[in-house]
Amino acid sequence: MTGRRVLPKKFTAARTSDEIVVRALHTTQGNGTDVYAFFIHGSDIVRVADISRVGRDDTDTLKGFQRPEIRSHVKGIVEYLNQGQVLFPNAIILALSPAVHFAASRGTRPTGDEGIAQSGTLTIPVYEEGKRVAWIVDGQQRSLALARAESREIAVPVIGFVSDRIDVQREQFILVNKAKPLPTRLINELLPETGGLHLPRELSVRKVPSELCSLLNRDPASPFHQLIKRPSDGAAAGKAVVTDSAVITMIRNSINNPLGALATFRLATPGRESADLENMYRLLVTFWSAVKAVFPEAWGRDPRHSRLMHSAGILAMGVLMDRIYARVSPHEDVKSVQRELQKVASSCRWTRGTWDSLGVAWNEIQNTTRDIRRLQTALVQAYIGGGEAP
């Protein structure tokens, strides 16, 4: 193109107004998924790929998976790139639409070639923003920086896999970033949306609590409906007051505790190959609906005004949930659980007063291991005592 310097033969990329053509290597992985390796001008990445930001649409459906732009990070990369002849071997990972086209090179295979990959030409259509044929799975900050750098000719390595399924893209995003400082809350929100894909064990065990948390927030019949803060909410958090990490930890603790209320439904049984999410969810809705009914003045309020909605309150009540369901059937109705909760109601100080057994004011309870354990003990002792101050 006019005004561009001539590139060395080891890297050429033909461009028209509506497509970019590059030399590429092609192979397949998994269940026949096409994977390509190629080089592209760094400034062209944002021409062919969109950044799929995590968020929710009007129907509360999770969209995208990427974190917001980290301006300081992008600025630092731009400053490095603007130094001149810099080395930038870090590959960008893209999810490619089937709209890309690969034409294999003709000719005989070189002696000794193991046939792992095939060389050829990859044609990538260029569409307007929001309708592009690729999505950035890993390297969004680098891609943004490359688009803003003074040099437009930096040859950047790209690995692209062909899939327009958002669940596949989310899975790869999580796997690529699991060893990096990716926010735990973002992983937790994305996990329920990865479908039935293969995840490492450490992520698989986190999926059930995350999925239950997501259901509690989306279901209009749930006491937690729209009360749980999620990374996708951003500034439009609305009436959300409870952090998702607190709810997820509460659920995970109950599942992992052999005597926990949810542990009964953790393992597969004859006729069921996985955890019984339906009964787990029913129990959670029953218990927390009873909590809402017994403590209406404390429910749904900002944690600064109600320690019941504070992380410490959620986690401590989760322990009480386990203790209550050690006495009653997991299939009891809300009224039955309310009667059990009434045994501790007179001892609770969620919005005012001082916890008699702890000797601390209601708003002095903090999200620390020490305070959470003390609050758990106070609630359990109050329950065992049948409502008498511990």
Side-chain angles (χ1 to χ4, degrees):
M1 295 181 67
T2 304
R4 293 189 181 276
R5 65 180 175 82
V6 178
L7 297 176
K9 292 183 178 180
K10 63 181 180 181
F11 173 64
T12 58
R15 290 193 279 186
T16 68
S17 60
D18 59 358
E19 65 182 24
I20 294 176
V21 181
V22 295
R23 297 290 293 174
L25 291 175
H26 167 259
T27 190
T28 59
Q29 293 183 349
N31 189 22
T33 299
D34 291 312
V35 181
Y36 300 101
F38 56 93
F39 283 86
I40 191 173
H41 293 116
S43 58
D44 282 338
I45 294 174
V46 294
R47 293 183 63 221
V48 301
D50 282 321
I51 297 175
S52 184
R53 301 284 189 204
V54 66
R56 298 273 173 175
D57 62 15
D58 294 338
T59 62
D60 201 36
T61 299
L62 185 66
K63 299 293 184 181
F65 46 85
Q66 283 283 5
R67 292 170 283 184
E69 174 185 342
I70 304 175
R71 294 182 181 178
S72 60
H73 188 187
V74 173
K75 181 181 178 181
I77 299 174
V78 171
E79 291 174 350
Y80 168 75
L81 294 173
N82 288 343
Q83 291 178 10
Q85 299 297 321
V86 297
L87 181 65
F88 198 86
N90 311 72
I92 305 295
I93 298 180
L94 301 180
L96 301 170
S97 157
V100 301
H101 175 69
F102 180 77
S105 300
R106 296 182 179 180
T108 58
R109 181 183 300 175
T111 302
D113 184 0
E114 297 182 2
I116 297 175
Q118 186 177 27
S119 64
T121 302
L122 183 68
T123 301
I124 309 172
V126 177
Y127 299 141
E128 62 183 275
E129 184 177 2
K131 298 180 180 179
R132 291 171 179 146
V133 297
W135 300 267
I136 298 174
V137 173
D138 183 55
Q140 69 147 323
Q141 315 295 344
R142 282 169 281 150
S143 298
L144 292 171
L146 286 161
R148 299 169 190 174
E150 294 174 359
S151 173
R152 317 293 290 175
E153 307 293 345
I154 300 174
V156 177
V158 175
I159 300 296
F161 62 92
V162 177
S163 176
D164 54 7
R165 287 178 51 190
I166 188 66
D167 55 347
V168 173
Q169 296 168 21
R170 285 177 179 143
E171 180 195 43
Q172 291 304 310
F173 174 70
I174 292 173
L175 293 176
V176 165
N177 286 282
K178 73 184 183 70
K180 302 179 182 179
L182 188 66
T184 299
R185 292 182 59 214
L186 179 57
I187 292 181
N188 286 337
E189 186 170 5
L190 293 175
L191 278 173
E193 311 292 341
T194 56
L197 303 176
H198 300 291
L199 293 169
R201 185 179 183 280
E202 69 270 20
L203 292 179
S204 296
V205 297
R206 291 166 59 178
K207 184 175 179 179
V208 168
S210 297
E211 187 166 355
L212 290 169
C213 177
S214 183
L215 288 172
L216 287 170
N217 199 51
R218 295 199 314 263
D219 183 6
S222 162
F224 282 107
H225 182 228
Q226 296 184 346
L227 290 181
I228 301 174
K229 297 179 183 178
R230 300 161 302 181
S232 63
D233 292 329
K239 64 180 182 179
V241 294
V242 182
T243 61
D244 52 358
S245 55
V247 176
I248 289 171
T249 300
M250 175 270 296
I251 294 172
R252 184 173 63 244
N253 290 345
S254 183
I255 292 175
N256 293 338
N257 179 358
L259 301 178
L262 301 177
T264 304
F265 309 111
R266 178 181 60 186
L267 302 177
T269 59
R272 192 182 74 235
E273 298 180 356
S274 59
D276 189 348
L277 288 178
E278 183 178 350
N279 274 316
M280 284 187 181
Y281 183 68
R282 184 181 295 112
L283 185 148
L284 287 166
V285 170
T286 297
F287 176 78
W288 289 101
S289 293
V291 172
K292 178 180 178 180
V294 172
F295 303 106
E297 76 290 345
W299 190 260
R301 300 180 64 182
D302 188 286
R304 293 172 296 179
H305 306 295
S306 170
R307 281 307 195 255
L308 176 60
M309 311 310 292
H310 191 276
S311 294
I314 296 295
L315 295 174
M317 288 297 288
V319 172
L320 181 62
M321 175 182 73
D322 292 340
R323 183 57 64 98
I324 287 176
Y325 280 101
R327 289 188 176 185
V328 304
S329 167
H331 303 292
E332 292 285 1
D333 60 16
V334 174
K335 293 294 184 182
S336 298
V337 178
Q338 281 183 235
R339 286 194 292 270
E340 297 300 310
L341 287 169
Q342 288 293 348
K343 298 176 182 179
V344 305
S346 62
S347 300
C348 294
R349 304 292 184 266
W350 298 122
T351 61
R352 59 183 179 274
T354 298
W355 288 83
D356 295 335
S357 61
L358 303 178
V360 299
W362 70 275
N363 57 355
E364 291 181 2
I365 299 294
Q366 302 300 322
N367 187 28
T368 64
T369 301
R370 177 176 178 273
D371 280 8
I372 293 172
R373 286 178 178 173
R374 293 179 67 199
L375 188 55
Q376 291 172 350
T377 299
L379 290 171
V380 170
Q381 288 180 351
Y383 180 62
I384 294 174
E388 298 178 1

